[in-house]
Amino acid sequence: MTTDSTRQTPAVRLRHDGSVDEDTLAYARTKIDAVLGRPGLPAVTGEVRIVLAAAHHAGHPWSATADLRVGRRQIVALAEEATGTELVDRLQDRLRRQTDRAAHVRDDSRGTKAPPWRGGTVQDRGGAVQDPVSP
Protein backbone atom coordinates (compact mmCIF):
# COMPACT_ATOMS: atom_id res chain seq x y z
CA MET A 1 0.00 0.00 0.00
CA THR A 2 1.33 3.39 -1.00
CA THR A 3 -0.16 6.66 0.20
CA ASP A 4 0.72 10.32 0.01
CA SER A 5 0.32 13.01 2.62
CA THR A 6 1.22 16.54 1.62
CA ARG A 7 1.40 19.73 3.67
CA GLN A 8 1.92 23.25 2.48
CA THR A 9 4.93 24.27 4.55
CA PRO A 10 7.48 23.15 3.72
CA ALA A 11 6.62 21.72 0.30
CA VAL A 12 7.92 18.23 1.03
CA ARG A 13 5.84 15.16 0.30
CA LEU A 14 5.96 12.35 2.86
CA ARG A 15 5.21 8.97 1.29
CA HIS A 16 5.20 5.48 2.74
CA ASP A 17 5.14 1.91 1.49
CA GLY A 18 4.17 -1.11 3.53
CA SER A 19 2.28 -1.15 6.80
CA VAL A 20 3.76 2.00 8.34
CA ASP A 21 1.67 3.06 11.34
CA GLU A 22 0.23 6.55 11.76
CA ASP A 23 2.28 7.27 14.91
CA THR A 24 5.53 6.77 12.99
CA LEU A 25 4.27 9.00 10.16
CA ALA A 26 3.27 11.75 12.60
CA TYR A 27 6.66 11.48 14.34
CA ALA A 28 8.42 11.65 10.95
CA ARG A 29 6.42 14.70 9.85
CA THR A 30 7.27 16.48 13.12
CA LYS A 31 11.00 15.76 12.81
CA ILE A 32 11.15 16.61 9.08
CA ASP A 33 9.29 19.90 9.66
CA ALA A 34 11.70 20.75 12.50
CA VAL A 35 14.70 20.39 10.18
CA LEU A 36 13.28 21.89 6.99
CA GLY A 37 11.10 24.59 8.51
CA ARG A 38 13.96 26.44 10.19
CA PRO A 39 14.39 30.14 9.48
CA GLY A 40 17.22 31.02 7.14
CA LEU A 41 16.81 28.05 4.81
CA PRO A 42 16.01 28.69 1.17
CA ALA A 43 12.87 27.17 -0.35
CA VAL A 44 12.70 23.40 0.21
CA THR A 45 10.88 20.99 -2.08
CA GLY A 46 11.04 17.26 -2.62
CA GLU A 47 10.00 13.92 -1.23
CA VAL A 48 10.72 11.70 1.76
CA ARG A 49 9.79 8.03 1.45
CA ILE A 50 9.55 5.64 4.40
CA VAL A 51 9.38 1.91 3.72
CA LEU A 52 8.69 -1.01 6.05
CA ALA A 53 9.93 -4.23 4.45
CA ALA A 54 7.53 -7.14 4.26
CA ALA A 55 10.32 -9.62 5.09
CA HIS A 56 10.33 -9.99 8.87
CA HIS A 57 13.75 -11.68 8.89
CA ALA A 58 15.47 -8.52 7.64
CA GLY A 59 17.90 -7.00 10.14
CA HIS A 60 16.86 -3.44 9.26
CA PRO A 61 13.32 -3.61 7.90
CA TRP A 62 12.79 0.17 8.07
CA SER A 63 14.34 2.34 5.38
CA ALA A 64 13.97 5.97 4.34
CA THR A 65 15.03 7.97 1.33
CA ALA A 66 14.92 11.76 1.15
CA ASP A 67 15.36 13.49 -2.20
CA LEU A 68 15.13 17.24 -1.60
CA ARG A 69 15.98 20.55 -3.23
CA VAL A 70 17.22 23.23 -0.84
CA GLY A 71 17.46 26.39 -2.88
CA ARG A 72 19.52 25.37 -5.90
CA ARG A 73 21.21 22.41 -4.21
CA GLN A 74 20.03 18.81 -4.22
CA ILE A 75 20.17 16.71 -1.06
CA VAL A 76 19.85 12.94 -0.93
CA ALA A 77 19.75 11.20 2.46
CA LEU A 78 19.36 7.48 3.09
CA ALA A 79 18.81 5.62 6.35
CA GLU A 80 18.07 2.05 7.50
CA GLU A 81 17.19 1.02 11.04
CA ALA A 82 15.46 -1.68 13.06
CA THR A 83 12.56 0.49 14.32
CA GLY A 84 10.59 3.39 12.90
CA THR A 85 11.61 5.81 15.66
CA GLU A 86 15.32 5.06 15.21
CA LEU A 87 14.90 5.47 11.47
CA VAL A 88 13.29 8.90 11.78
CA ASP A 89 15.92 10.07 14.27
CA ARG A 90 18.76 8.93 11.98
CA LEU A 91 17.12 10.58 8.96
CA GLN A 92 16.66 13.82 10.90
CA ASP A 93 20.37 13.90 11.80
CA ARG A 94 21.42 13.34 8.20
CA LEU A 95 18.98 15.92 6.85
CA ARG A 96 20.09 18.53 9.39
CA ARG A 97 23.76 18.02 8.54
CA GLN A 98 23.17 18.28 4.80
CA THR A 99 20.75 21.23 4.96
CA ASP A 100 23.22 23.13 7.14
CA ARG A 101 25.91 22.50 4.57
CA ALA A 102 23.63 23.52 1.69
CA ALA A 103 22.49 26.69 3.44
CA HIS A 104 26.01 27.92 4.20
CA VAL A 105 27.65 27.22 0.85
CA ARG A 106 27.32 30.00 -1.66
CA ASP A 107 27.14 28.99 -5.30
CA ASP A 108 28.67 32.20 -6.62
CA SER A 109 31.91 31.82 -4.64
CA ARG A 110 32.85 28.50 -6.22
CA GLY A 111 33.65 27.47 -9.74
CA THR A 112 34.89 29.40 -12.72
CA LYS A 113 33.20 31.87 -14.98
CA ALA A 114 32.54 31.10 -18.62
CA PRO A 115 35.23 32.44 -20.96
CA PRO A 116 34.25 35.13 -23.48
CA TRP A 117 34.22 32.70 -26.41
CA ARG A 118 31.54 30.68 -24.58
CA GLY A 119 29.31 33.63 -23.78
CA GLY A 120 30.99 34.94 -20.63
CA THR A 121 31.72 38.59 -20.00
CA VAL A 122 35.05 40.33 -20.38
CA GLN A 123 36.37 42.70 -17.69
CA ASP A 124 38.83 45.41 -18.57
CA ARG A 125 41.60 46.40 -16.16
CA GLY A 126 39.40 49.06 -14.55
CA GLY A 127 36.84 46.44 -13.53
CA ALA A 128 34.18 47.47 -16.06
CA VAL A 129 32.30 44.67 -17.78
CA GLN A 130 32.32 44.72 -21.56
CA ASP A 131 30.08 42.92 -23.98
CA PRO A 132 32.09 40.07 -25.60
CA VAL A 133 30.72 40.75 -29.11
CA SER A 134 31.51 44.45 -29.24
CA PRO A 135 35.12 45.68 -29.70
Side-chain angles (χ1 to χ4, degrees), residues 24-78:
T24 303
L25 290 175
Y27 184 66
R29 177 49 71 188
T30 302
K31 293 293 190 169
I32 292 168
D33 285 347
V35 172
L36 303 179
R38 294 177 295 158
L41 281 181
V44 179
T45 59
E47 175 180 280
V48 176
R49 173 173 263 158
I50 297 175
V51 178
L52 177 59
H56 298 288
H57 63 278
H60 294 243
W62 290 86
S63 64
T65 306
D67 185 9
L68 305 173
R69 267 276 196 233
V70 178
R72 296 180 357 178
R73 298 189 97 38
Q74 182 176 12
I75 292 176
V76 177
L78 307 170

